[in-house]
Amino acid sequence: MLGRILMYRRGGASLDVVQRLIEKDETALQELMMQYGDELLRTAYLLVRDQQTAEEAVMDTFAQAYSKIQQLKEPAKLRSWLLRMVVNRCRMKMRTWSWRNILPSAHVDQMVEATEQSPEELMLAEWRHECLSDAILKLDYIYREAITLFYYNGLNVAEISEQIKCNENTVKARLSRGRAKLKQMLGEGDGDETGARAY
């Protein structure tokens, strides 16, 4: 199975990354980093709340992926495999360090590409992203993790359950509580900033 070339499509790019990583082709690692780097960095930052630590977690993830690619049993699940690794690295870092005195050094909205909008729309979108990012960073880790994987990485409840090794009802409860906490922090305002995507 691993001997087959994986043609993984994401954002219009076709990559035979898995096969080339198995063959220890370093250019495949560079392509992997280009393909998934931004998503993994955004995920790590939302989880650990520190830019440098997030970057370390992502680099550790890519190093681990390169050295342990043979452990990937289903090449089609490359993205979820990488996400699982970065989430695990973030958990390790959260256990290792005390985060009480660390303030966010950047906002997640700086990592999100701006779309073509009017200056007013861009300013409003930036303000909303900043408010939401700040609120997410104030959540306890278990809620931050569920919210990040669900809304920012597009995983469903079953996928999150598999990623973090807990049952689906626990994931649903964390999402529900996390959303409630975000709504409380953001105020009832003009709607739910987190979006009400169905499970």
Side-chain angles (χ1 to χ4, degrees):
M1 180 189 294
L2 287 175
R4 289 186 306 168
I5 292 176
L6 168 68
M7 296 302 285
Y8 186 83
R9 290 193 174 274
R10 187 169 182 268
S14 295
L15 300 174
D16 58 341
V17 171
V18 172
Q19 178 61 36
R20 289 167 52 218
L21 285 172
I22 291 169
E23 296 167 358
K24 299 302 177 194
D25 180 348
E26 290 187 12
T27 62
L29 178 60
Q30 292 171 353
E31 290 177 22
L32 190 74
M33 293 169 77
M34 289 177 60
Q35 187 79 19
Y36 296 102
D38 289 343
E39 180 180 13
L40 295 182
L41 182 58
R42 180 180 63 191
T43 300
Y45 178 75
L46 284 167
L47 295 177
V48 299
R49 303 185 285 192
D50 178 70
Q51 183 73 22
Q52 182 177 347
T53 307
E55 289 171 359
E56 288 172 5
V58 171
M59 293 311 295
D60 290 348
T61 296
F62 285 126
Q64 187 177 2
Y66 185 71
S67 65
K68 298 186 175 181
I69 190 65
Q70 291 84 358
Q71 293 180 7
L72 178 61
K73 302 300 181 194
E74 298 179 57
K77 293 187 176 179
L78 175 61
R79 177 177 176 260
S80 63
W81 187 62
L82 292 171
L83 281 170
R84 183 179 302 124
M85 279 194 282
V86 83
V87 166
N88 288 339
R89 296 302 302 180
C90 289
R91 281 184 175 178
M92 285 172 52
K93 290 189 179 289
M94 291 299 290
R95 284 194 298 259
T96 304
W97 297 94
S98 171
W99 298 96
R100 290 179 186 171
N101 299 320
I102 294 180
L103 297 173
S105 59
H107 294 290
V108 176
D109 56 285
Q110 294 171 342
M111 294 183 242
V112 179
E113 288 184 24
T115 56
E116 288 188 20
Q117 295 174 314
S118 71
E120 294 82 11
E121 289 172 327
L122 283 172
M123 192 165 73
L124 182 59
E126 183 177 344
W127 177 78
R128 284 183 177 154
H129 280 301
E130 186 173 327
C131 290
L132 182 58
S133 297
D134 287 345
I136 289 170
L137 294 172
K138 292 174 185 170
L139 291 173
D140 290 338
Y141 184 85
I142 58 171
Y143 304 122
R144 225 168 44 238
E145 182 178 62
I147 292 285
T148 299
L149 292 174
F150 190 76
Y151 290 103
Y152 287 85
N153 297 104
L155 301 185
N156 62 35
V157 169
E159 291 168 329
I160 295 171
S161 172
E162 182 184 343
Q163 289 277 351
I164 65 176
K165 306 295 185 213
C166 69
N167 69 51
E168 293 184 18
N169 286 334
T170 301
V171 173
K172 289 178 183 178
R174 289 179 184 179
L175 285 168
S176 178
R177 290 183 191 133
R179 280 194 298 264
K181 288 173 182 289
L182 285 174
K183 284 180 76 172
Q184 189 175 32
M185 282 189 273
L186 294 168
E188 295 301 319
D190 55 357
D192 184 359
E193 292 287 348
T194 62
R197 192 158 69 85
Y199 296 130

